[in-house]
Amino acid sequence: MSSSRRCLPVLLLVLASIGFPPPAQAVEAHHHVSSIAEARTLPPGTVVTVGGTVTTPPGAFESSFFDKGFGLEDRGAGIYVSIAVDLGISVRTQVRVTGTLRDSSGLLVLVPGDPADVVVRGKGPAVRPRLLATGAVGERTEGRLVRVVATVTRAPVPDLPYGFKFFVDDGSGELTIFVNTQTGIDLTGLTTGHTVSVTGFSSQFDTHYEIDPRFQADITKRH
């Protein structure tokens, strides 16, 4: 460890004691930024700082997540950031988030203590979804943007007020597709036997895994 890094906490205390606010870049440098994959190995209750690219519109899953949160992904993993207010950010926004890891009905989420704990760092390229078998969507993919191509095994049914759900299978295992009401996705005409491509957030509710689409274009029929 360099001497300048070692002296940073003392410098911040001195600045505060004489009435000068610590420079923002010094405070930011003092935070250890973990990869999302590293953060996901830590127990609930741990405070971490991670950075990544926003993959879902804030509040798109509000009917079942009950917040204005969003998916966040870096090069190796993803996580859901649960926050009560809409921060006005969009997909492809790059952010750094400090928060506490929590378990939410089986889904690991990151909960900032304050909206200021989400720091916008610009705009980046869109995150490309990983193409997976339906049976491969699970704990290892949780928090990431994923895509499956499969046959509808059970047609859409309402699960109100939370949304709608249907099931798909490519032969490797049946998978739940959960469509939250805020997305406005129209499932009209989607019936058993259709082959569809589904993109969305790899999620979990209780004991089952699912994909949560974001936009109408995330569900397309294949011919």
Side-chain angles (χ1 to χ4, degrees), residues 39-163:
R40 294 190 64 88
T41 67
L42 302 173
T46 305
V47 176
V48 296
T49 299
V50 299
T53 302
V54 175
T55 58
T56 72
F61 306 147
E62 186 175 6
S63 57
S64 63
F65 283 47
F66 310 110
D67 62 19
K68 301 288 187 179
F70 53 88
L72 185 69
E73 190 167 335
D74 62 15
R75 292 178 181 270
I79 198 166
Y80 186 80
V81 178
S82 178
I83 191 164
V85 298
D86 187 344
L87 298 178
I89 57 179
S90 59
V91 171
R92 292 180 48 199
T93 301
Q94 294 181 319
V95 298
R96 180 171 290 179
V97 183
T98 298
T100 304
L101 296 170
R102 303 287 187 201
D103 178 274
S104 177
S105 299
L107 179 69
L108 182 67
V109 302
L110 181 62
V111 184
D114 187 273
D117 291 333
V118 180
V119 180
V120 175
R121 304 178 65 81
K123 201 87 166 179
V127 174
R128 301 186 66 174
R130 299 179 67 198
L131 180 61
L132 298 173
T134 54
V137 177
E139 194 67 34
R140 294 182 64 181
T141 67
E142 186 182 288
R144 303 199 72 166
L145 197 62
V146 299
R147 182 168 73 93
V148 297
V149 178
T151 301
V152 177
T153 54
R154 287 188 267 175
V157 294
D159 188 12
L160 299 174
Y162 313 109

